[in-house]
Amino acid sequence: MPSGNASYKFSYFLAAAIAMSLNAGMVSSAHAEPSTTPPKQDSPQRTQLNLTQEQKDKIVQIRQQTRTKIQAVLTSTQRDILKAAIENGQNSREIEQSLNLTEAQKAKIGEIIQSSQQQMFAILTPEQQQLIQNSRK
């Protein structure tokens, strides 16, 4: 990901946030109950972090809250489009484009993403935070 292109970065994070809403069956409604489906295998980065069960639980909670907040930003039509796109196996970039988000929605989702990233980073130990910082270089 090019570091000098803020628009590309925002689009990347927006696509990632929408992808988050794809997980755990949260697409049917903005008011859906959080899923109890266990997460898929940990990513190599998460495995390297050696997260405690408490940290994992908090991350799951933050992700569920993030999905709910993002879903609340979408119109019912956009939520329907999102659900159909997921069922059709579209990738997050295609889904982002099909939603035709307004600038206000993009800004709000950007705020939600930033807040959730800060919350997740805050639950990490200094050593874990350093691993994350090093992986971004």
Side-chain angles (χ1 to χ4, degrees), residues 14 18 21-22 70 74-75 77-83 85 90 92-102 105 109:
L14 182 59
I18 292 170
S21 71
L22 310 181
I70 290 171
L74 302 176
T75 66
T77 301
Q78 288 169 323
R79 287 190 297 273
D80 291 343
I81 291 169
L82 177 61
K83 182 178 179 180
Q90 291 182 346
S92 58
R93 179 76 59 201
E94 293 169 329
I95 292 171
E96 176 189 349
Q97 292 172 350
S98 68
L99 291 176
N100 196 25
L101 298 168
T102 66
Q105 286 175 310
I109 291 171

Side-chain angles (χ1 to χ4, degrees), residues 5-131:
N5 190 334
S7 175
Y8 179 82
K9 281 184 180 180
F10 177 77
S11 183
Y12 173 81
F13 286 117
L14 182 59
I18 292 170
M20 282 177 45
S21 71
L22 310 181
N23 296 332
M26 294 291 292
V27 297
S28 62
S29 163
H31 305 292
E33 291 297 316
S35 173
T36 57
T37 305
K40 295 180 182 171
Q41 278 188 331
D42 282 346
S43 68
Q45 185 179 26
R46 255 196 276 176
T47 303
Q48 279 185 319
L49 290 176
N50 295 317
L51 297 171
T52 66
Q53 188 58 48
E54 182 180 359
Q55 288 173 313
K56 290 177 184 179
D57 292 344
K58 286 180 181 179
I59 288 171
V60 167
Q61 181 181 18
I62 292 166
R63 291 186 74 206
Q64 288 172 341
Q65 292 168 351
T66 301
R67 282 189 297 269
T68 300
K69 289 175 183 178
I70 290 171
Q71 295 261 336
V73 172
L74 302 176
T75 66
S76 62
T77 301
Q78 288 169 323
R79 287 190 297 273
D80 291 343
I81 291 169
L82 177 61
K83 182 178 179 180
I86 294 164
E87 290 171 355
N88 292 329
Q90 291 182 346
N91 67 41
S92 58
R93 179 76 59 201
E94 293 169 329
I95 292 171
E96 176 189 349
Q97 292 172 350
S98 68
L99 291 176
N100 196 25
L101 298 168
T102 66
E103 291 304 315
Q105 286 175 310
K106 289 178 185 179
K108 185 63 179 169
I109 291 171
E111 292 170 13
I112 294 167
I113 294 166
Q114 185 175 14
S115 174
S116 68
Q117 288 175 338
Q118 290 170 348
Q119 290 172 17
M120 285 189 256
F121 195 74
I123 67 169
L124 301 176
T125 66
E127 294 81 16
Q128 291 167 324
Q129 290 176 357
Q130 188 62 48
L131 282 171

